Every structure is written in C-alpha cells, then in structure tokens.
Amino acid sequence: MISPDFIENDALAIGAQIRAGRTTARDVMRRTFARIRRVDAGIGAFTRLCESRALADAARIDARVAAGEDPGPLAGVPFAVKDLFDVAGLATTAGAAMRRDAPPARRDAAAIARLSAAGAILVGTLNMDEFAYGFSTENAHYGTTRNPHDAARIAGGSSGGSAAAVAAALVPLTLGSDTNGSIRVPAALCGVYGLRPSIGAVSADGVFPFVESLDVAGPFAASLDDLELAFRILSGRTTPPAPALRVGRLDGWFRRNSDPDALAAMDAIAEHLGHVPLVRFPMAEAARSAAFLLTASEGGRRHITALRHTPLAFDPATRDRMIAGLLLPDDVLAEAAAIRERVRAGAARLFARHDVLIAPATPCTAPPIGGGTIEIDGRPANARANLGLYTQPLSLVGLPVLTVPIRRPGRLPLGLQFIGAPGGEAALFALARQIEQAGIIGVTPPQALSC
Amino acid sequence: MDKGDLPGDATACAARARSIDLDIPAVCMVGVLANLAVLQTHIAIVRAAPMQDDDD
C-alpha cells in the first residue's frame, strides 16, 4: 500500500513531471512536507524545515511552467542540506548548540544557489555531528539520526541527516560535506549514492569549515542519474563518456579488517570486468594517521577561542577531541604534513596506471546507536571510531570518491568506494553505471519503512 | 607547541594546556586523556612511516 504522501525518490522524474505539467511543484511540496512530518519523527534527519520559503519557491516554479518557461532540470525537486550550509535568514548551526543564536546568514551558500537556479527547492536543514567532527550523527544537542534500515543503528556521519533523508525517501537529493569520510561513511551505512568531489570542484562559499585543506561539499542521491546531474550543476563541469577504464582493487590496508561481503562484491566486479588487478595504495595506514592528527589539530585551532571561554557549551565528544588536538606538538604536525606529500606523490604514480580504484567504504555495517564493537587486527575495537578506516587515507590527498551501495536486499547496507584521480569524476560515474547494470550495486529501499 | 611527546597524565596535560592559555575543566580531563592516548597511537604510526615502502 503506497501512502498518498509518497513521492518517487527520483529527482529527474519529479522535475520531468513538473516541467510537463503532469503535477505541480506546490503539490510535490505538500506531499514532501507531509511525508517528512510522518516519517522523520522516527529518524531525526531534519533539524529545521523551510516550509514558507519552499511554498513560495514552488509557486514561482509553477508560474514559470504555466508561462511556458523551463525552470530547469530540477524544476520543483525538493532538496535539503547539512546544517553547515548557509541558508538565507537562518543561523548556520554546524550542529553546535552554541551557534543556535548566531546571526542569520545573509544569503544562501553557493551550492544551494546553484541547485535553486536549476529549479530545485530547499525544504530544510539536516542533522550532523557537531562541527562535522564525527562518524555517527549522535549529536548531544540536536539528537541522533537513526538509520532508516534499522532505527536502532546509527546513520553514520558526519552528514548522517543527509544520507538518512535520501534513504528514507524524504527528499531525492541532499548536500553534505566530507573531510575524512563524512559523505562516504553515511552513504555506505544508509545504502545510497554519495559523491565526495575533487577538492575545489564544488564551491565552499557559505559552507561552515572544519579542516579547510580536506573539506569538500558534495551530493547524495538514490540514483546515479540524479547524483551525476547534481554534480554537473554544482560543479559546472561535464562528465563525458569515459573510454575503456583501467580499474584496480585496493589491497593491503583496504582488505585487512574488511567485511567479507565487501570483498566479495569487489571480487564480483573483478569477475564482471575481466581484469582488475590488486594494487597497493601508498602508505595507507600512515596516511590515515596523518589525516587523524591534522584533523584534530586544525579542528582544535579553529575553535580555540570557544574552547578557552565556553568549553562546556560543546558536545563533550567534540570538545575532548579538539582539546587533545590542540596539545599536539608542532613537529608531529610537520611529520604528518610530510606524509601527506609522500602519499600525494605515490597516488599520482598509481593513477598514471589506473583510472578507478575500488575499495570498501567502511569495515562494517551500521553499528548500534551508542556502541558496537568490531574486530580490528584481531582485537575488539570501538566500531564508530574505526568507521573512517578506509576513507581517511584517500581524502588526505583530495581524491574524488563515489560511494556506491552494494546490492544486498534484506541485509544492512554496505558500500564501496570508487576512487579517481583529481578531476576524474566522469570515470567514476562511467564505472558505476556499468557495475549497476551488472546488478552488483544499487539502492535497496529500507524494509523497515512503509512507503 | 614545538617538540615533544604528548602529556601522559592529568597534571602534565593541564600544564601543557595552560601554556596555550587553555584551562581544561575537570569534567573534560578523562575524555581528553583518552583522546591523547588515541593520538599517541597515530603519532607512532606516522613516525614509523619512513620504515614503510612508499607504495605500502
């Protein structure tokens, strides 16, 4: 039984129906807000709704269609953004209680403006870890975002609201940000597509920073078509058809501790493509540690004034990590920065021989809220603390990564990373289409939610 | 902060924090020390990196 507030979770289809006059943007908004109110109480993806703004935008889209104009490929498509994108008239909280009363943003973030110019309609802001520092979206101030596939489990983070909103079909398109894996981890755990673009491909204007040398804004969607269109609109870049792709599977660090199902999916891809050699990513373990250290230090430095004057206003988990980062000696940070340059050079050599590399996105499925243990190198370890095991080495050097959901109906989602050279997003989309057609990857709607 | 290891106990931690004009509330100390222990493991990995082959 499909409820009357259900909207097909397909941005292109919604846009096409509105442009053809088969439905209206106002009707899509009415059904969107009805579904959010009905379903999100059990998920906690949204932090604020922009209903009056959305309805006004919808009326303008409908008027343009009625006048014979084309509002753009995303005409009337509802979207939402992680709560660190500036939204005109709202405080940009970055998931922090101390920013609840910050001065309202004067204008929308550039990424929101681009989607709006293509006809999309902003409907709200989405939950996240405080200041984007975390992989779980268990926010002490704004609540926990639950995984639509199992409400007892986390959605991942820090863009947990962005992934959960798409997985629960609340909106077909969202924006998040990725510093160490904050798009890739929640996309994998919620079973949707997520893109960490190349550094600089999507404007960071109006996006609250965390670690500026690592931060990237990017989209989540329930289909490759929607994700690719969103990337084109956000970046202004085209994604032309890629020639024959040279694909490799990451070995070593990226197979150690992996969920066997992720490795099986990588093997299935290798079998489908014919020749996908196992290759090593340079200094993967050291790269992850360097990312960890640089993040703790830069995150702490960014917030040192608040840590000095109002430390108890922070989420305790964020605060304690940032304070520890502030105590790191400079020589350690110099060593971490040197590792980054060596990894960058090694990655360039690797991508001279390959167009796309494949790796697991996370070492496990979504852990339970508040806990969960996995085995790392034969020892029990905190699952949440290790969710970035495979994402952090890659973002240290700014590689674009498309996270794809392994097709596994009836089981908790798991994802893979398709990794490219800087500027190599077209190859990532080309490979993903091929592998999706082979039935190895694809979105499975949550069984826990009634449509 | 120039050189050196991370502080290993609450007294050393508080002293290091004061050197950058930061007072660590008592309620935070356990969490900060736990995070310092995690960072120490990552420092060890980074410092061992010259022993690794650049291609892992």
Side-chain angles (χ1 to χ4, degrees), chain A residues 130-148:
Chain A
E130 187 182 56
F131 293 125
Y133 202 174
F135 284 127
S136 67
T137 315
E138 294 168 290
N139 188 304
H141 312 298
Y142 299 103
T144 294
T145 297
R146 296 174 180 275
N147 194 308

Side-chain angles (χ1 to χ4, degrees), chain B residues 12-54:
Chain B
C13 186
R16 175 76 65 88
R18 278 196 296 275
S19 75
I20 55 168
D21 298 324
L22 182 67
D23 285 318
I24 301 177
V27 70
C28 311
M29 190 57 82
V30 171
V32 172
L33 287 171
N35 279 284
L36 285 173
V38 172
L39 293 180
Q40 191 67 59
T41 65
H42 289 294
I43 290 172
I45 292 166
V46 163
R47 286 186 169 156
M51 306 296 286
Q52 295 182 346
D53 186 289
D54 270 9

Side-chain angles (χ1 to χ4, degrees), chain A residues 37-234:
Chain A
R37 289 198 175 89
R38 185 172 68 84
V39 175
D40 196 45
I43 295 173
F46 278 84
T47 51
R48 291 170 294 187
L49 297 179
C50 308
E51 191 159 3
S52 58
R53 166 184 166 148
L55 293 174
D57 286 348
R60 278 191 287 274
I61 294 288
D62 288 339
R64 291 185 63 186
V65 172
E69 298 176 28
D70 183 356
L74 295 177
V77 171
F79 77 103
V81 297
K82 186 176 184 176
D83 210 343
L84 50 57
F85 287 80
D86 283 352
V87 175
L90 298 182
T92 307
T93 73
M98 71 179 76
R99 290 191 52 81
R100 204 189 299 263
D101 298 319
R106 291 185 180 177
R107 60 177 188 271
D108 289 343
I112 295 177
R114 278 190 174 252
L115 292 178
S116 300
I121 295 178
L122 181 71
V123 301
T125 59
L126 299 161
N127 201 17
M128 58 183 287
D129 289 289
E130 187 182 56
F131 293 125
Y133 202 174
F135 284 127
S136 67
T137 315
E138 294 168 290
N139 188 304
H141 312 298
Y142 299 103
T144 294
T145 297
R146 296 174 180 275
N147 194 308
H149 290 264
D150 180 347
R153 296 177 183 274
I154 63 169
S158 65
S159 309
S162 305
V166 170
L170 303 178
V171 284
L173 188 63
T174 61
L175 296 181
S177 65
D178 187 314
T179 303
N180 282 299
S182 286
I183 287 174
R184 292 165 286 162
V185 168
L189 299 189
C190 289
V192 298
Y193 290 100
L195 177 67
R196 176 195 161 90
S198 304
I199 294 272
V202 174
S203 173
D205 179 47
V207 183
F208 194 94
F210 176 26
V211 180
E212 282 184 83
S213 64
L214 303 177
D215 293 345
V216 184
F220 293 81
S223 77
L224 280 171
D225 284 343
D226 286 354
L227 196 78
E228 188 168 6
L229 175 62
F231 173 67
R232 286 181 187 164
I233 291 168
L234 290 166

Side-chain angles (χ1 to χ4, degrees), chain A residues 280-283 285-286 289-290 292 307-308 311-312 319-321 324 327-332 335 339 342, chain B residues 1-4 6 13 16 20-22 25 27-28 31-32 35-36 39 42-43 45-47 49 54-56:
Chain A
R280 295 280 180 125
F281 189 80
M283 303 174 70
E285 184 175 18
S289 289
F292 212 104
L307 290 166
R308 282 177 174 143
L312 300 182
R319 176 197 60 219
D320 297 349
R321 270 178 285 181
L327 305 184
L328 282 166
D330 286 345
D331 62 325
V332 167
E335 289 175 71
I339 294 285
R342 288 175 59 190
Chain B
M1 208 73 54
D2 292 319
K3 287 189 156 212
L6 289 176
C13 186
R16 175 76 65 88
I20 55 168
D21 298 324
L22 182 67
V27 70
C28 311
V32 172
N35 279 284
L36 285 173
L39 293 180
H42 289 294
I43 290 172
I45 292 166
V46 163
R47 286 186 169 156
D54 270 9
D55 290 322
D56 201 20

